[in-house]
Amino acid sequence: MPFVAITVASLLLTACGSGSGGGSGGTGAAGVAAGSDDVPTTDVVSSVGKDAGAAKLLPAGTKRLTVAISVGGTPPGTTYLADGTTPAGQDVDFTRAVGKVLGVRLKVEQASFEAILPALDSGKYDFGASNFGVTDERRRTIDFVTYVNDGQGFATREDSKLGRITDLRQLCGLKVATGAGTTFEATLEAGEHVCTDAGNKRYQVQTYSDPSAIWSSLQQGRSDVVMSTINGLRYAVAHQRGLKFLNEFHRLDVGFVFKKGTRLAPAFRAAVNKLIADGTYARILRKWGTSGSAISQSRISPPELKN
């Protein structure tokens, strides 16, 4: 997927009304058209002001930062407003809010989810913001600053006989659809042996870069179950007929991502904690229906949560 520049004005724009269907085309992760009128447009960020204490933690001379965001799913993840071009979502609001607390201008670039992490080390981006889960494997090569708690879960068609999935062996013989380059793909690939170890047929991992393709594969019977973010799955079930949420599988902290050894982390942590303290944080979560993902304080590269 090519990298497409998004203007700072587009990121900072707060929609004031609805419009026609989005020009981005297709459907998002929940089968809802990307750029649809279902996207919340409440302004919870524009009143945020600069915090001198947090800004002081930035490396000297920092005036502008380049952030990579993967856009194209549905709320609460990154998506588009009804105009089909303006990015929106929980990650976008947190990115905007942190930028305002730190008093920096943001240059935003869109990239595919799986392309963001490898590009951090080259310096192409200063940070990424696309619901990146904190794992011990990722912590070896990148740094995190946490801002929510989300994680991994499962969903399927409403007519499926599948129930709560607590062990990957319950997936044996099934086709599991998920996003490319995600923690879900890594979890599934690491556990593929459990089926053959038990003398059963292994499950098949089907990965897609386009979120809409994940749900199309499920709805058309080409896959049996979807593994994705807890918040994204709950949204899908709430907004799309014929789906059911099975259960949470593994909770993960979620954070902004940086090149390993970044000097930006202390400032970002302070900015997130400022948003928690002044109530902006809670307003962002309420807007996107994710209050259950709140954290009490931001941390820098904490260990992976173990269920």
Side-chain angles (χ1 to χ4, degrees), residues 124-278:
K124 184 177 181 68
Y125 312 120
D126 294 302
F127 70 104
S130 293
N131 204 68
F132 287 100
V134 180
T135 67
D136 290 337
E137 179 65 26
R138 285 176 171 172
R139 289 193 310 131
R140 295 188 180 99
T141 56
I142 63 173
D143 284 338
F144 289 88
V145 172
T146 60
Y147 58 92
V148 292
N149 175 270
D150 193 351
Q152 305 174 338
F154 291 98
T156 189
R157 293 183 299 276
E158 202 167 43
D159 60 0
S160 172
K161 295 181 180 180
L162 280 173
R164 183 178 179 85
I165 296 173
T166 58
D167 190 307
L168 295 181
R169 284 174 291 190
Q170 294 171 256
L171 301 174
C172 294
L174 301 180
K175 297 176 181 178
V176 188
T178 195
T182 62
T183 62
F184 322 114
E185 180 184 9
T187 296
L188 291 167
E189 289 184 346
E192 277 183 316
H193 65 90
V194 299
C195 294
T196 54
D197 288 352
N200 297 319
K201 183 180 179 180
R202 69 179 183 88
Y203 53 76
Q204 296 181 38
V205 182
Q206 301 172 324
T207 58
Y208 300 91
S209 295
D210 179 3
S212 65
I214 296 175
W215 293 98
S216 294
S217 72
L218 180 68
Q219 293 163 337
Q220 295 171 9
R222 289 181 282 107
S223 61
D224 301 298
V225 62
V226 168
M227 188 178 192
S228 189
T229 66
I230 294 167
N231 288 332
L233 293 174
R234 290 189 185 282
Y235 184 90
V237 171
H239 291 80
Q240 178 72 4
R241 291 182 180 178
L243 300 177
K244 65 178 179 180
F245 178 73
L246 295 180
N247 61 285
E248 297 183 6
F249 183 72
H250 178 36
R251 277 276 174 178
L252 288 172
D253 287 321
V254 169
F256 298 110
V257 288
F258 306 82
K259 178 180 180 179
K260 192 70 177 175
T262 181
R263 294 171 58 203
L264 295 171
F268 271 69
R269 177 179 58 185
V272 174
N273 286 333
K274 175 64 167 59
L275 295 171
I276 292 173
D278 70 15

Side-chain angles (χ1 to χ4, degrees), residues 25-144:
T27 57
V32 179
S36 75
D37 293 334
D38 293 330
V39 182
T41 57
T42 306
D43 178 9
V44 291
V45 175
S46 65
S47 63
V48 175
K50 179 178 178 179
D51 181 78
K56 186 171 61 176
L57 297 175
L58 286 169
T62 303
K63 301 296 182 182
R64 187 180 79 165
L65 296 172
T66 301
V67 54
I69 297 180
S70 177
V71 185
T74 59
T78 50
T79 185
Y80 293 102
L81 295 180
D83 60 10
T85 60
T86 305
Q90 178 174 270
D91 298 313
V92 174
D93 276 349
F94 276 119
T95 299
R96 292 176 56 215
V98 165
K100 291 175 76 67
V101 170
L102 296 178
V104 296
R105 291 180 290 116
L106 297 173
K107 178 185 178 184
V108 182
E109 293 192 1
Q110 181 182 347
S112 62
F113 181 87
E114 63 269 28
I116 295 176
L117 295 185
L120 292 172
D121 194 55
S122 70
K124 184 177 181 68
Y125 312 120
D126 294 302
F127 70 104
S130 293
N131 204 68
F132 287 100
V134 180
T135 67
D136 290 337
E137 179 65 26
R138 285 176 171 172
R139 289 193 310 131
R140 295 188 180 99
T141 56
I142 63 173
D143 284 338
F144 289 88

